[in-house]
Amino acid sequence: MAAPLDLRRVTADRSLLGSLEHVRNVGLGGVLDGDGRGYRARRARPTGAAVTHGYAWRFVDQWTQIWWPQGIAVGEHSGVPTALVSWYAQPRRRGAMGARISVVDLRNPSHATYRHVLLVAPRQTDAGVVLDPVPVHAGGIVWAGDRLFVAATLDGILEFRLSDILRADSRGPFGRASGPFHHRYLLPVFARYQPTLPKNDNRMRYSFLSLETGQGDAASGAASDLRMLAGEYATDDGRRVARLTLTDAGCTVTEAHVPRVPHMQGVALVGDRWYVSSGHGGVHGGDLWSGPIDNLRKSDGVLPPGPEALAFWPSHNELWSVSEVAGRRWLFAIDQTRF
């Protein structure tokens, strides 16, 4: 069963990066220690009995109908507690804006700040190298050392290197950033984990991702072989969650399960206990399922409406998630020991 689900790794042409103009490399540290243009994430009290604390985005990000938060990863970078949150953009007349990562600085819990990083792919044109937005749903992400993995649904998984983050120069009379759609920070794709077979009914849908427990905190570094979890979203209860091993050659699905959970949005594994988030739209609270993968117990409505991916923070012993409903978008922690 695993063979049709495997992915092969294809590295991007990094030589194009050397031809880019009006950008400089700053890495993740450069985003965290940015130029004062960060946005405020205010402390909030998200709804849901499982939630212990959380944050709300600035007004524009809280209510926009273009950008929708999806994936989450948590850890530390050079001692700075950090959350990474992926968003995808609904296509508009301006063109496909692709996906972005919000880098949330949590070192001061009462005054968290964040900056957006646009995911891009270099492309050679007659006029030079341009950076195209990456049109991916980004329903889940994994942060492991310098590596960031982004779920690409039926197209597998994308890999980025956080040390590759670029800062675009300010240009024009208003001093706006010169990156695509005026983004200041840009992250070019490093590699793609692509399906080995054409589309078929058995092909894995990489709707969401998380780092498997036993890998340590996100910033502790990553071996060449990484263990991850992935899952498939659908309205029915017949979709899979899978355990993955990523190598320099590709991705192997080592086991797959059908937990009989409709509307799956995220998955985490803490020790031998599985957690799955599921939602019911923008009005009713989301559910948290927990227990053995073949016998999950449902805790009704204990998450905010529209819960998305899950991530476990070992040093904090907490699950973290995000919610996508406009006006009720939160980055929040969950006390999973109660479930």
Side-chain angles (χ1 to χ4, degrees):
M1 179 179 63
L5 307 182
D6 290 350
L7 306 174
R8 61 184 176 88
R9 185 172 184 264
V10 179
T11 304
D13 183 0
R14 295 179 60 79
S15 66
L16 298 178
L17 298 179
S19 301
L20 292 173
E21 299 180 348
H22 309 296
V23 298
R24 58 185 175 88
N25 180 266
V26 296
L28 180 58
V31 180
L32 289 168
D33 299 326
D35 55 5
R37 297 176 183 268
Y39 306 121
R40 172 79 182 274
R42 58 179 176 83
R43 291 296 293 263
R45 294 185 177 181
T47 58
V51 179
T52 60
H53 59 282
Y55 298 88
W57 310 98
R58 63 171 180 152
F59 182 86
V60 171
D61 293 327
Q62 188 70 250
W63 288 98
T64 177
Q65 296 297 303
I66 298 177
W67 290 100
W68 297 78
Q70 299 292 304
I72 181 165
V74 284
E76 293 189 358
H77 177 77
S78 298
V80 178
T82 304
L84 305 180
V85 176
S86 64
W87 306 61
Y88 84 97
Q90 294 276 12
R92 291 292 188 269
R93 283 179 295 178
R94 296 177 65 196
M97 299 175 73
R100 70 186 184 191
I101 302 293
S102 293
V103 177
V104 188
D105 183 342
L106 297 173
R107 76 183 95 187
N108 183 350
S110 63
H111 193 87
T113 59
Y114 66 97
R115 294 172 173 84
H116 297 311
V117 180
L118 187 70
L119 302 182
V120 294
R123 177 171 57 91
Q124 182 69 55
T125 70
D126 293 340
V129 177
V130 298
L131 294 173
D132 295 325
V134 177
V136 64
H137 192 76
I141 58 177
V142 163
W143 174 19
D146 188 39
R147 308 171 77 181
L148 180 70
F149 299 90
V150 177
T153 321
L154 287 173
D155 291 325
I157 300 171
L158 302 182
E159 180 181 352
F160 300 81
R161 296 295 170 95
L162 295 170
S163 57
D164 286 343
I165 294 178
L166 307 171
R167 185 185 185 280
D169 292 342
S170 298
R171 304 177 67 192
F174 301 103
R176 305 181 76 177
S178 58
F181 303 104
H182 301 295
H183 278 77
R184 185 168 305 278
Y185 297 103
L186 312 167
L187 180 55
V189 65
F190 181 87
R192 301 174 185 270
Y193 288 79
Q194 301 174 332
T196 57
L197 296 178
K199 292 182 180 180
N200 59 74
D201 292 340
N202 193 42
R203 187 162 162 181
M204 184 77 182
R205 176 186 293 268
Y206 292 86
S207 300
F208 45 88
L209 300 172
S210 67
L211 189 66
E212 186 170 324
T213 50
Q215 299 281 291
D217 272 335
S220 64
S224 58
D225 292 3
L226 272 175
R227 298 190 304 276
M228 298 185 191
L229 307 173
E232 301 175 300
Y233 172 81
T235 56
D236 61 60
D237 67 354
R239 297 297 179 172
R240 297 164 291 192
V241 295
R243 300 175 83 165
L244 319 174
T245 298
L246 271 73
T247 69
D248 290 338
C251 170
T252 299
V253 175
T254 56
E255 60 181 75
H257 308 272
V258 180
R260 297 297 173 187
V261 176
H263 300 277
M264 287 193 297
Q265 298 284 0
V267 62
L269 179 59
V270 182
D272 58 358
R273 192 170 188 84
W274 291 76
Y275 295 88
V276 175
S277 59
S278 63
H280 306 285
V283 177
H284 302 289
D287 303 328
L288 183 64
W289 300 68
S290 61
I293 192 60
D294 57 351
N295 189 27
L296 294 174
R297 179 176 61 88
K298 180 183 178 184
S299 297
D300 290 284
V302 299
L303 300 177
E308 292 295 323
L310 295 172
F312 181 57
W313 201 337
S315 62
H316 291 220
N317 197 29
E318 294 172 331
L319 285 174
W320 282 70
S321 185
V322 290
S323 53
E324 73 166 359
V325 179
R328 308 177 77 178
R329 288 179 177 147
W330 294 300
L331 163 66
F332 58 91
I334 301 165
D335 180 8
Q336 86 285 345
T337 61
R338 296 171 49 200
F339 301 90

